[in-house]
Amino acid sequence: MANYLICSTPVHHHVSPMIAVGAYLVSRGHRVIMITGTRFAEQIKRAGMEFVAFEGRADFDDRDVPSYLPFRERYRGIARLQYDVQNIFIKTIPAQLRTARNVLQRERIDAVLVDGAFGGLSPVLSSSAPRPPVLAVGVISLVQFSCDTAPAGLAMAPSSSGLGRARNRILNALARHVFFRDTQRAAQQAMAEIGAVRLPHFAMDISSAFDRFLQLGPATLEYPRSDLSPNVRFIGALPTEGAAALPEWWNELDGSRAVVYVSQGVIDNQNFDRLIRPTIAALAKDDVLVVVSTGGRAAERLGAVASNVRVAETLPYDRLLNLVDVVVTNGEYGEVQAVLAAGVPLVVAGGTEDKPESAARVSWSGAGIDLRTGTPTAAAVGSAVRAVLADERYRARARRFAAELAELDTLRIIEEELAQAVAARSSR
């Protein structure tokens, strides 16, 4: 059995899949140490792993946004994305690296597994010094420059035509040298702070630098790239969790009418006016059952709801999705994967972080509709839900994704990739 180190940015949709992977590795007899934010300590220990907290500014609580993104409301669009990336992923690199180095120096680590956006080991990846293999799990849509795609963050469909590649070449150059120039500068400053060499790659395009990049999701949901880095492998979706108790109204999900499920996830759910309330208002008079999850927030905060609405703070996701006809979501990548694994089409309202990219891929693939905003009107939500319910092609495409994902044993693939990396290192 092996000793593995897992490192993750302390953001819920980055940490949760890595905890699932770590728990599986522990169940297979491996020793696993996980480094992330303190707020996940108990969850990690319950999964059987050893927990280590990041030092300094790398240890933040993603539920308290003003504490680590104090000036976020000053920015909009790409400026906000740049601000987020710098403060969550770039300026935390020195503290992340110091923490990881301490563990690597005192423990015998056979391989390291990180979330795909984790930059704390960038100096290690670019160094010629001996090190264990470093693999990454892509927990968001793939971020990798290509001649066939526009840069991540613009949520634009791919194009490999002559005009499309000309567009992509211009936009990729602008991303590197204009849009995210300050982010690259911040990354070089972070490297200088720890006495490392300059980054050999663009700060927002590190997927090709890992020994192996294991991208979650079906391959056909990702944009085709003729120049895809050879270290990338698509590995499917992680199993969904279903520990929540059944609500008293569960037996109403009996197939007598269409079921529309709406959620804002477990982090971006402080203001239900963003997506949940518009969905309730849009479908109040439709012959559908609207199921709402408040993501752990008190259900009473929603107030009075229409007669066709059922509310719960948490729901058994694995059982629920088999009874749903459409999912309305803010586009968190893990949720999109889980919904597609169940063969259910989506209506996506992605407005922040990587969510617009998830929404764009759903629309491009034909598995749902992208509302192109994180705060849609009730009219827009209603129109999209009715369109998806009325057009069987959306469900047919989602079912093809489900069939593709059913062929992949994601956790087993990750364990095999780690074992192969360790064996390759030993043979060298």
Side-chain angles (χ1 to χ4, degrees):
M1 294 297 101
N3 294 333
Y4 294 129
L5 173 64
I6 293 179
C7 304
S8 180
T9 308
V11 174
H12 177 268
H13 63 273
H14 290 248
V15 173
S16 291
M18 302 307 290
I19 290 178
V21 173
Y24 174 79
L25 293 173
V26 169
S27 75
R28 298 283 294 166
H30 303 289
R31 180 192 177 202
V32 182
I33 302 171
M34 184 164 181
I35 307 176
T36 190
T38 301
R39 86 111 158 162
F40 298 100
E42 292 307 313
Q43 189 178 350
I44 289 167
K45 292 174 183 176
R46 286 196 302 270
M49 292 179 279
E50 301 169 39
F51 170 74
V52 175
F54 282 126
E55 298 179 10
R57 70 180 298 167
D59 186 10
F60 57 84
D61 188 333
D62 61 329
R63 298 166 298 185
D64 183 12
V65 175
S67 69
Y68 63 99
L69 298 174
F71 307 116
R72 192 170 193 255
E73 294 307 313
R74 297 181 182 178
Y75 302 94
R76 293 291 182 272
I78 290 179
R80 173 176 283 190
L81 176 60
Q82 187 167 211
Y83 176 77
D84 290 353
V85 168
Q86 288 181 28
N87 286 279
I88 296 173
F89 301 107
I90 303 298
K91 295 180 180 179
T92 52
I93 286 176
Q96 291 173 344
L97 177 63
R98 285 193 296 269
T99 310
R101 268 184 176 161
N102 287 339
V103 174
L104 290 168
Q105 288 170 356
R106 72 170 184 262
E107 303 284 355
R108 182 184 66 81
I109 300 297
D110 296 301
V112 183
L113 189 67
V114 305
D115 81 76
F118 181 80
L121 290 178
S122 292
V124 174
L125 293 171
S126 58
S127 170
S128 60
R131 61 169 176 81
V134 181
L135 291 74
V137 177
V139 298
I140 62 174
S141 300
L142 180 63
V143 177
Q144 189 170 110
F145 279 118
S146 169
C147 64
D148 299 316
T149 64
L154 300 185
M156 298 176 68
S159 177
S160 58
S161 68
L163 287 176
R165 286 186 169 179
R167 176 206 72 176
N168 300 335
R169 184 167 57 251
I170 293 169
L171 290 175
N172 286 332
L174 287 172
R176 286 187 174 97
H177 305 297
V178 180
F179 299 154
F180 298 104
R181 177 181 55 197
D182 290 344
T183 298
Q184 184 70 6
R185 184 180 297 120
Q188 301 297 4
Q189 291 172 348
M191 297 292 281
E193 181 181 331
I194 54 182
V197 297
R198 291 175 61 83
L199 273 179
H201 48 260
F202 186 62
M204 294 179 64
D205 185 27
I206 66 172
S207 56
S208 61
F210 294 101
D211 297 314
R212 200 78 165 122
F213 194 87
L214 310 176
Q215 177 64 43
L216 290 173
T220 51
L221 180 64
E222 187 49 60
Y223 299 148
R225 293 170 169 84
S226 59
D227 50 359
L228 181 69
S229 175
N231 70 326
V232 176
R233 179 181 180 183
F234 292 91
I235 61 171
L238 293 169
T240 54
E241 298 178 0
L246 298 181
E248 59 182 15
W249 45 260
W250 186 260
N251 60 2
E252 295 184 53
L253 306 177
D254 57 6
S256 59
R257 52 179 166 168
V259 176
V260 179
Y261 171 65
V262 58
S263 168
Q264 290 179 206
V266 297
I267 297 298
D268 189 19
N269 60 4
Q270 298 182 10
N271 180 5
F272 294 142
D273 289 337
R274 291 181 62 83
L275 185 57
I276 289 178
R277 286 197 179 102
T279 303
I280 291 173
L283 303 174
K285 296 181 180 179
D286 288 43
D287 185 23
V288 299
L289 190 66
V290 180
V291 173
V292 177
S293 169
T294 61
R297 305 280 179 184
E300 292 76 15
R301 290 181 52 197
L302 263 179
V305 295
S307 60
N308 67 337
V309 176
R310 303 294 180 267
V311 183
E313 294 180 8
T314 57
L315 287 163
Y317 214 49
D318 55 342
R319 298 180 63 178
L320 173 69
L321 290 178
N322 293 324
L323 306 173
V324 169
D325 296 279
V326 181
V327 170
V328 182
T329 172
N330 63 359
E332 192 274 305
Y333 188 66
E335 180 166 52
V336 168
Q337 291 179 72
V339 174
L340 292 177
V344 181
L346 302 108
V347 172
V348 190
T352 58
E353 295 93 28
D354 60 300
K355 296 180 180 70
E357 291 290 346
S358 294
R361 282 160 173 77
V362 167
S363 175
W364 169 80
S365 71
I369 292 176
D370 177 6
L371 295 177
R372 301 185 65 82
T373 176
T375 54
T377 64
V381 175
S383 176
V385 169
R386 294 180 196 109
V388 172
L389 287 172
D391 191 338
E392 180 61 25
R393 289 176 296 181
Y394 291 111
R395 177 168 288 275
R397 186 68 187 98
R399 284 174 173 165
R400 288 199 294 274
F401 278 127
E404 180 182 346
L405 291 168
E407 296 293 322
L408 298 168
D409 187 343
T410 302
L411 291 169
R412 181 186 60 79
I413 291 171
I414 293 173
E415 183 184 21
E416 289 176 351
E417 288 283 354
L418 285 166
Q420 290 169 13
V422 173
R425 181 198 184 204
S426 298
S427 66
R428 289 196 299 270

